[in-house]
């Protein structure tokens, strides 16, 4: 048999990895996916409880999505999307516009989440340039935010692990102190608060609102920060203050879209609409790299004029609106449209959260279990009463990750936050296995 691992390590530079770690923990060569499971070339099975970086929505090699992509590839694999179009993209946008929060109806395609964020920031900036507010050249975002890895998206982010080193080359984006419901400085709980922490946003808008084009936000769930969850009221307040200062509310639903939070989109929980929304990850069911931003007719109209006015949005990506990706996305909507998958996922979300609470809550190093939809996060702490975290250098989460892999469970904690973010189709057996196994691994690393 060929030595795939050796060859991998010779040629491949893996994402978000210290490659030296791979000496001890070799890359796992996967050659088959089915439902919530992945299989390696030796036939070992892994439960993909993180949806392969949060994108796999409806299981690996979902028969309906496979069928749709196979059909599409024999008809049209790709076409330039300027001046040309195709039926899969048109169908997709029409269907999405009916599911999205009210007012979002003009779609612009990119090929990854970070690029959708960049395009959305550019469109917001240009809108204000073309509507008599040339002073609006700034952006705001929350502390602990994550919006992607390209320079502009990284500038809007605030997770030190990814941004700190690059500060000298990043844009200066104002960061507003984000809600922190686990360590709430006002002593409130997640479900009994009136978002007193919004005072930080008020101060920032007062100071920078008039120069600001858009406020970026990961609605309800700051994913990369460790699945930090905050209440919908915060989004409602953001909507109000953005209106007051003529600032676009830019929703990054790349991680939260398509049922991850229990509703189709996280903004549905707040019953307000953003001005611009970015989607990716679950959009194609995790099949293809595709992303988009969608915005309002009001914003679109500010670009609509005779060519020589120079008002067009001159932004493009080679693979904009790729037909294969659109066919996968349409198949995702075929599956989600009647609501039964989301309904079942909601029922399972209750079950999942219950068994996780039962298992983990009393462990001496579990600071909090938090959940939204099927996403559950367990924050490990050194001291339960003071919520003091572990020294990051101990890599506690990573030790648990390695143990879980040996038992066929893919956890990939964010620092010392162990989380589950499974495909929506996960069943009770798989949930039981995930919880049981994760708990065993936790106890091996941190005996109770
Ligand atoms: C993954 C993610 C991105 C970036 O998407 P990429 O496709 O990885 O560039 C941006 N925002 C959020 C909230 C994400 O989870």
């Amino acid at each position: 048999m060929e030595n795939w691992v050796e060859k991998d390590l010779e040629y491949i530079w893996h994402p978000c990895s210290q490659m030296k770690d791979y000496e001890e923990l070799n890359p796992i060569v996967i050659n088959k996916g089915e439902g919530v499971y992945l299989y390696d070339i030796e036939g070992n099975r892994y439960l993909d409880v993180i949806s392969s970086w949060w994108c796999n929505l409806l299981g690996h090699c979902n028969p309906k999505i496979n069928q749709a992509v196979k059909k599409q590839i024999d008809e049209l694999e790709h076409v330039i999307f300027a001046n040309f179009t195709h039926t899969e993209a048109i169908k997709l946008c029409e269907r999405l516009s009916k599911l999205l929060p009210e007012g979002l109806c003009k779609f612009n395609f990119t090929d990854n989440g970070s690029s959708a964020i960049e395009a959305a920031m550019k469109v917001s900036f240009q809108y204000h340039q073309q509507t008599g507010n040339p002073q609006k050249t700034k952006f705001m975002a929350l502390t602990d935010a994550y919006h992607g890895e390209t320079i502009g998206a990284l500038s809007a982010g605030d997770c030190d692990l990814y941004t700190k080193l690059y500060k000298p080359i990043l844009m200066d984006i104002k960061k507003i102190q984000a809600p922190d419901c686990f360590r709430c400085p006002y002593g409130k709980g997640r479900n009994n608060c009136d978002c007193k922490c919004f005072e930080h946003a008020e101060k920032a808008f007062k100071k920078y609102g008039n120069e600001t084009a858009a406020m970026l936000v990961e609605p309800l769930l700051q994913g990369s920060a460790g699945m930090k969850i905050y209440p919908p009221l915060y989004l409602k307040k953001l909507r109000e203050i953005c209106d007051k200062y003529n600032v676009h509310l830019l929703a990054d639903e790349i991680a939260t879209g398509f049922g991850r939070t229990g509703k189709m989109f996280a903004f549905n929980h707040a019953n307000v609409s953003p001005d611009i929304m970015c989607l990716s990850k679950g959009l194609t069911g995790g099949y293809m790299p595709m992303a988009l931003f969608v915005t309002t007719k009001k914003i679109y109209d500010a670009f609509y004029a005779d060519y020589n006015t120079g008002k067009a949005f001159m932004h493009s990506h080679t693979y904009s609106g790729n037909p294969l990706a659109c066919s996968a996305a349409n198949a995702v909507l075929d599956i989600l449209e009647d609501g039964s998958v989301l309904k079942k996922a909601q029922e399972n979300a209750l079950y999942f959260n219950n068994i996780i609470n039962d298992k983990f809550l009393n462990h001496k190093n579990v600071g909090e279990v938090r959940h939204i939809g099927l996403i559950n996060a367990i924050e490990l702490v050194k001291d339960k009463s003071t919520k003091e975290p572990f020294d990051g250098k101990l890599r506690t989460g990573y030790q648990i990750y390695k143990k879980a892999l040996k038992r066929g469970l893919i956890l990939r904690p964010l620092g010392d936050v162990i989380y589950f973010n499974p495909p929506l189709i996960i069943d009770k057996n798989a949930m039981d296995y995930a919880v049981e196994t994760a708990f065993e691994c936790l106890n091996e690393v941190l005996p109770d």
Side-chain angles (χ1 to χ4, degrees):
M1 199 159 67
E2 286 207 74
N3 194 334
W4 292 112
V5 168
E6 208 170 280
K7 285 197 186 183
D8 174 282
L9 294 175
E10 188 173 348
Y11 293 109
I12 296 179
W13 195 343
H14 288 273
C16 206
S17 300
Q18 171 49 265
M19 291 307 299
K20 191 164 188 295
D21 281 349
Y22 286 56
E23 286 173 12
E24 185 208 359
L25 179 65
N26 285 162
I28 297 164
V29 188
I30 298 293
N31 65 354
K32 182 177 148 69
E34 193 177 30
V36 292
Y37 297 103
L38 293 165
Y39 298 83
D40 68 18
I41 49 175
E42 283 157 13
N44 298 308
R45 188 177 87 165
Y46 300 87
L47 174 54
D48 185 5
V49 83
I50 59 160
S51 298
S52 282
W53 258 345
W54 321 348
C55 64
N56 188 288
L57 195 70
L58 300 163
H60 293 278
C61 285
N62 182 293
K64 283 188 183 153
I65 307 175
N66 282 13
Q67 196 53 44
V69 176
K70 282 178 192 168
K71 180 169 173 288
Q72 183 60 39
I73 203 167
D74 282 331
E75 290 169 8
L76 175 68
E77 85 301 341
H78 188 63
V79 60
I80 177 175
F81 209 49
N83 284 116
F84 294 84
T85 189
H86 54 86
T87 53
E88 288 301 312
I90 300 165
K91 274 192 283 188
L92 176 63
C93 295
E94 183 181 30
R95 297 169 81 181
L96 280 175
S97 70
K98 288 175 181 151
L99 297 169
L100 283 160
E102 204 181 328
L104 297 173
C105 58
K106 296 289 182 183
F107 295 82
N108 182 287
F109 287 90
T110 60
D111 46 22
N112 65 77
S114 308
S115 299
I117 294 287
E118 303 260 346
M121 288 169 71
K122 283 173 68 181
V123 105
S124 172
F125 166 80
Q126 190 173 339
Y127 169 89
H128 292 296
Q129 293 297 306
Q130 291 174 184
T131 53
N133 286 298
Q135 82 287 1
K136 285 189 173 282
T137 58
K138 289 193 162 61
F139 295 91
M140 293 197 276
L142 294 179
T143 56
D144 277 346
Y146 182 85
H147 297 292
E149 301 289 351
T150 52
I151 302 289
L154 196 61
S155 305
D158 186 50
C159 298
D160 275 355
L161 184 61
Y162 315 121
T163 56
K164 201 170 171 193
L165 184 72
Y166 303 100
K167 287 253 161 86
I169 55 167
L170 298 183
M171 297 158 65
D172 178 25
I173 293 187
K174 298 296 163 211
K175 301 289 153 48
I176 295 171
Q177 186 64 47
D180 184 351
C181 301
F182 174 42
R183 296 182 174 87
C184 177
Y186 310 91
K188 296 279 189 173
R190 197 170 278 111
N191 300 317
N192 68 348
C193 90
D194 51 4
C195 292
K196 207 155 181 307
C197 58
F198 197 75
E199 66 187 16
H200 297 293
E202 276 161 4
K203 263 188 221 140
F205 271 79
K206 208 169 204 173
K207 202 158 170 200
Y208 305 111
N210 288 331
E211 307 149 50
T212 299
M215 164 81 206
L216 289 87
V217 65
E218 290 165 273
L220 304 190
L221 176 79
Q222 291 191 293
S224 299
M227 300 292 173
K228 288 175 67 187
I229 299 167
Y230 62 88
L233 179 62
Y234 196 89
L235 294 180
K236 277 192 210 273
K237 286 180 177 274
L238 269 183
R239 177 68 277 172
E240 280 168 26
I241 204 162
C242 282
D243 284 341
K244 184 169 163 200
Y245 287 91
N246 186 24
V247 169
H248 290 141
L249 183 52
L250 199 172
D252 178 350
E253 291 241 16
I254 292 166
T256 51
F258 301 96
R260 290 294 188 192
T261 66
K263 295 191 190 264
M264 196 64 176
F265 300 101
F267 256 84
N268 296 141
H269 293 271
N271 276 320
V272 292
S273 293
D275 301 290
I276 311 173
M277 184 186 282
C278 294
L279 296 172
S280 187
K281 294 205 164 99
L283 173 64
T284 64
Y287 268 60
M288 309 264 180
M290 182 165 79
L292 56 82
F293 78 74
V294 52
T295 189
T296 58
K297 184 160 184 311
K298 182 177 173 196
I299 291 180
Y300 174 84
D301 282 345
F303 294 73
Y304 198 90
D306 288 335
Y307 183 82
N308 286 334
T309 60
K311 287 189 170 174
F313 185 48
M314 298 304 285
H315 180 107
S316 65
H317 292 281
T318 309
Y319 287 103
S320 288
N322 176 260
L324 296 172
C326 288
S327 71
N330 273 312
V332 166
L333 294 186
D334 287 341
I335 297 166
L336 291 184
E337 220 156 38
D338 75 356
S340 60
V341 170
L342 284 191
K343 187 156 171 278
K344 181 90 191 157
Q346 271 290 55
E347 288 162 23
N348 280 337
L350 286 178
Y351 176 81
F352 204 23
N353 184 242
N354 280 335
I355 60 174
I356 292 169
N357 280 336
D358 283 351
K359 263 280 178 255
F360 285 89
L361 266 186
N362 291 324
H363 189 284
K364 73 175 194 319
N365 295 113
V366 170
E368 183 183 53
V369 173
R370 47 185 178 260
H371 87 116
I372 185 165
L374 276 165
I375 298 171
N376 280 268
I378 299 156
E379 180 154 347
L380 302 177
V381 291
K382 188 173 165 196
D383 186 321
K384 207 176 176 105
S385 57
T386 63
K387 305 181 181 177
E388 183 192 343
F390 282 104
D391 177 357
K393 293 212 163 69
L394 296 173
R395 303 182 81 190
T396 309
Y398 184 65
Q399 310 308 326
I400 295 168
Y401 168 59
K402 286 192 291 186
K403 295 215 181 282
L405 271 184
K406 291 215 178 79
R407 290 175 156 90
L409 176 68
I410 308 177
L411 283 179
R412 214 166 196 285
L414 294 153
D416 293 334
V417 177
I418 301 172
Y419 70 89
F420 308 96
N421 184 5
L424 301 181
I425 50 129
I426 192 169
D427 63 20
K428 289 200 165 118
N429 275 338
M431 288 187 274
D432 289 341
Y433 183 77
V435 173
E436 198 62 52
T437 306
F439 190 66
E440 280 170 20
C441 297
L442 169 66
N443 275 298
E444 275 180 26
V445 176
L446 299 169
D448 203 359

